[in-house]
Amino acid sequence: MTAISRRRVLGYGLGLGAAALGLTACGDDANDTPQAAGNGGKDYTGPKVQLNLWNGFTGGDGDIFKKLVDQFNGEHTNIAITVATYKWEDYYAKLPGAVSSGNGPDIAVMHIDMLATFAARKVIQPIDDVASALGLSESDFAPTVWKGGIYQDKRYGIPLDMHPVGLYYNKALLQQAGLDPAKPPTNKAELETALGALKQAGIQGFWVSPFQFTGGMTAYSLVYQFGGSLYNADATKAAFNSTEAVDAVSWFTKLIADGHSPANVGQDADYLALKSGKNAFNVNGIWQVNDLKKSPDVQWGVAPVPQLGSRKAVWANSHNFTIVQQKKADANKVAGAKVFINWLSQHSLDWAAGGQVPARNAVREDPKFKELAEISTLAAELPDAVFPPAAPGIGDVTALFYTAFNEAVLGKKTPKQALDDGVAKADKLLEDNRKKYGS
């Protein structure tokens, strides 16, 4: 899987069709969480258990993940993990039915913005006892990622990583415009000054993608940077037509109007233009770091997304480990699953090399993590990560923001009209979700 195709991988946490998740009530015979032995994940001394683990790591990250699983299996004679890997879209669609029929996995890797949906469908079970038995708390993880694993006051996910967007820049183009390639912009004034210099040099410096990947995710970040929010406090209403949100989206349309970006930029054309020396700045995911390293002829750098508004904020997602509901609970399997989750969380330094920021503080503080220069640079964004609220079906609602952004950037509607229309649809969908999921 190429780095670019990860837009599909990560996008399924935002906008997965309701038909895939909303029609199957899972785990009907497993409503009571088993009281598992094994010290909540510190150790397991029971009989040998065979555990199935599902994930969506179909690219190079999958190879790294499988190596870690092999290492775990070699160190634990009484726990054997078998890995099944699917494309994320297939994985999320397949999981509810598999659990309902009794053929689901024991452990599932899940994006943080999918936890509430699968918890509401009783696909995954609460794992507060894992955290308490291991003595894990917010102080062990980045607070934003740790809090993101909670739905209705219960923990459903143990975070493995965080993957944010960052500012990629073409050093050769900056030099061509008389700018310092070692000093990427950190705020609005610096960015707009740089864009002015680039324009003087005949370079369109910030190509605006009208698609979720990556223009929409950049706009998501700016809504919060400008002081707005996509939703109200309890996620009962959409709020992405506020003055702050309109200003954020208008900032992108002005980039096009002022000649800093072509109109109608194609999917991924913003990133490809950065690599080919046509686009100076591109906000894109951390997953592009390893892709750029494969292009030694490209002079590039990466930095945190500039703070263009009153606060720091950045789009991000996170992989979490979950324990799946079973028709017939097996306390030994649950205990073994907890041992694996804890072990891999502690060994996530190797995972970082695949293009992820480890969620666990101790791993990020390891001197070896600092050697991963680009990944370490984007780890600074951890406190600024903004995840969607823990509401079932929220991905489909957030997708309406991306649609509104697309309409505004393509000039089909004014930013205000596009966002107003999007909020009207979002509010109806939020109401429908409350009825469907019973929350």
Side-chain angles (χ1 to χ4, degrees), residues 172-219:
L173 291 183
L174 296 186
Q175 284 183 309
Q176 187 177 329
L179 300 167
D180 187 344
K183 293 182 178 180
T186 63
N187 56 47
K188 187 177 181 181
E190 291 176 0
L191 177 57
E192 293 182 345
T193 296
L195 290 176
L198 288 160
K199 186 177 181 180
Q200 284 288 99
I203 300 165
Q204 291 180 305
F206 198 124
W207 287 31
V208 178
S209 166
F211 301 98
Q212 174 185 344
F213 285 77
T214 57
M217 296 189 302
T218 312

Side-chain angles (χ1 to χ4, degrees), residues 295-373:
S295 303
D297 54 321
V298 180
Q299 300 175 48
W300 64 280
V302 66
V305 174
Q307 181 181 341
L308 305 189
S310 59
R311 57 166 289 197
K312 292 183 178 180
V314 65
W315 178 97
N317 213 321
S318 166
H319 295 115
N320 275 238
F321 284 116
T322 68
I323 295 180
V324 177
Q325 290 278 20
Q326 305 295 331
K327 280 189 169 291
K328 186 175 181 180
D330 185 328
N332 289 322
K333 282 194 170 187
V334 174
K338 293 172 182 176
V339 171
F340 171 76
I341 291 171
N342 182 52
W343 182 92
L344 195 50
S345 174
Q346 293 176 329
H347 289 75
S348 55
L349 179 61
D350 292 330
W351 181 240
Q356 313 284 345
V357 176
R360 205 151 181 160
N361 294 341
V363 178
R364 293 196 314 279
E365 292 163 1
D366 190 313
K368 292 182 179 178
F369 177 67
K370 305 299 182 184
E371 296 174 6
L372 302 172

Side-chain angles (χ1 to χ4, degrees), residues 22-320:
L23 302 181
T24 308
C26 303
D28 294 335
D29 300 326
N31 291 331
D32 295 325
T33 303
Q35 298 300 311
N39 247 350
K42 289 184 178 179
D43 52 55
Y44 173 68
T45 57
K48 185 169 183 176
V49 290
Q50 181 80 36
L51 302 176
N52 294 319
L53 184 153
W54 285 15
N55 71 88
F57 302 132
T58 56
D61 48 4
D63 294 333
I64 294 173
F65 188 76
K66 287 176 182 177
K67 287 179 182 178
L68 286 166
V69 171
D70 288 343
Q71 182 182 342
F72 174 86
N73 285 338
E75 295 177 8
H76 297 79
T77 58
N78 59 348
I79 305 173
I81 305 288
T82 300
V83 175
T85 304
Y86 305 94
K87 293 180 180 178
W88 284 112
E89 63 267 37
D90 297 332
Y91 164 82
Y92 284 131
K94 180 182 178 70
L95 184 60
V99 173
S100 182
S101 65
N103 297 310
D106 301 289
I107 307 169
V109 179
M110 198 168 289
H111 290 95
I112 200 168
D113 52 1
M114 299 300 291
L115 294 178
T117 302
F118 282 98
R121 301 308 306 170
K122 295 186 172 64
V123 174
I124 56 178
Q125 62 179 257
I127 51 176
D128 297 275
D129 59 327
V130 178
S132 60
L134 294 173
L136 297 178
S137 67
E138 183 177 311
S139 63
D140 297 298
F141 295 87
T144 49
V145 181
W146 181 248
K147 292 174 182 175
I150 296 174
Y151 170 63
Q152 291 190 340
D153 298 322
K154 293 181 180 179
R155 174 159 299 282
Y156 285 89
I158 298 293
L160 173 62
D161 62 42
M162 187 274 277
H163 34 274
V165 291
L167 178 72
Y168 293 87
Y169 52 98
N170 187 302
K171 294 182 177 181
L173 291 183
L174 296 186
Q175 284 183 309
Q176 187 177 329
L179 300 167
D180 187 344
K183 293 182 178 180
T186 63
N187 56 47
K188 187 177 181 181
E190 291 176 0
L191 177 57
E192 293 182 345
T193 296
L195 290 176
L198 288 160
K199 186 177 181 180
Q200 284 288 99
I203 300 165
Q204 291 180 305
F206 198 124
W207 287 31
V208 178
S209 166
F211 301 98
Q212 174 185 344
F213 285 77
T214 57
M217 296 189 302
T218 312
Y220 181 113
S221 304
L222 291 199
V223 168
Y224 287 91
Q225 285 198 9
F226 283 18
S229 175
L230 263 63
Y231 303 97
N232 64 358
D234 59 1
T236 57
K237 294 287 185 181
F240 55 78
N241 63 342
S242 66
T243 300
E244 295 84 0
V246 172
D247 288 347
V249 173
S250 298
W251 186 82
F252 292 91
T253 59
K254 191 172 187 298
L255 284 180
I256 299 170
D258 290 348
H260 299 302
S261 169
N264 303 320
V265 172
Q267 178 69 70
D268 300 318
D270 50 336
Y271 175 65
L272 295 175
L274 179 97
K275 293 178 69 175
S276 64
K278 297 178 181 178
N279 179 22
F281 299 116
N282 180 223
V283 175
N284 214 309
I286 193 172
W287 50 87
Q288 301 293 26
V289 166
N290 287 336
D291 180 66
L292 282 163
K293 286 184 175 181
K294 297 175 184 176
S295 303
D297 54 321
V298 180
Q299 300 175 48
W300 64 280
V302 66
V305 174
Q307 181 181 341
L308 305 189
S310 59
R311 57 166 289 197
K312 292 183 178 180
V314 65
W315 178 97
N317 213 321
S318 166
H319 295 115
N320 275 238

Side-chain angles (χ1 to χ4, degrees), residues 11-22 113-114 117 212 231 240 388 391-403 422 425-427 429-430 433 436-437:
Y12 284 98
L14 292 169
L16 184 68
L21 295 176
D113 52 1
M114 299 300 291
T117 302
Q212 174 185 344
Y231 303 97
F240 55 78
I394 200 67
D396 290 319
V397 188
T398 305
L400 295 172
F401 167 72
Y402 294 128
T403 298
K425 294 176 183 177
D427 283 345
L429 185 52
L430 285 168
N433 283 345
K436 179 168 66 176
Y437 294 106

